[in-house]
Amino acid sequence: DPNFVRALRRVAHAFDWAVGPQETFAHVRCPVHVLFGERDDLIRERTARPALARLARARAEVVAGAGHVIPE
């Protein structure tokens, strides 16, 4: 649907993609479970691991064969 593609493009250009201050992660106290898709070309596990290390109660799991949108 061309309208969907246009909407995604607008959202992508309006979003602030700058990485926020990593220190704020230390304030997260709840457990965090992050799922990575093994075949994700957008968010790489190895790139996100340093940020996850700053979370007090984080664990990560790689879903075999999955891409960026894991439920799909």
Side-chain angles (χ1 to χ4, degrees):
D1 182 351
N3 291 321
F4 179 71
V5 173
R6 279 193 287 277
L8 283 179
R9 186 166 189 247
R10 281 190 210 124
V11 168
H13 283 71
F15 186 78
D16 179 6
W17 293 97
V19 176
Q22 302 271 323
E23 306 82 50
T24 59
F25 286 20
H27 299 288
V28 177
R29 299 285 180 227
C30 64
V32 177
H33 187 168
V34 179
L35 298 176
F36 292 102
E38 177 184 46
R39 296 172 45 204
D40 188 341
D41 290 326
L42 186 60
I43 299 174
R44 305 268 185 206
E45 176 194 7
R46 68 179 179 274
T47 305
R49 285 281 180 181
L52 288 177
R54 294 179 182 265
L55 293 167
R57 298 172 63 194
R59 67 181 176 136
E61 180 179 348
V62 178
V63 179
H68 181 65
V69 184
I70 292 173
E72 293 182 6

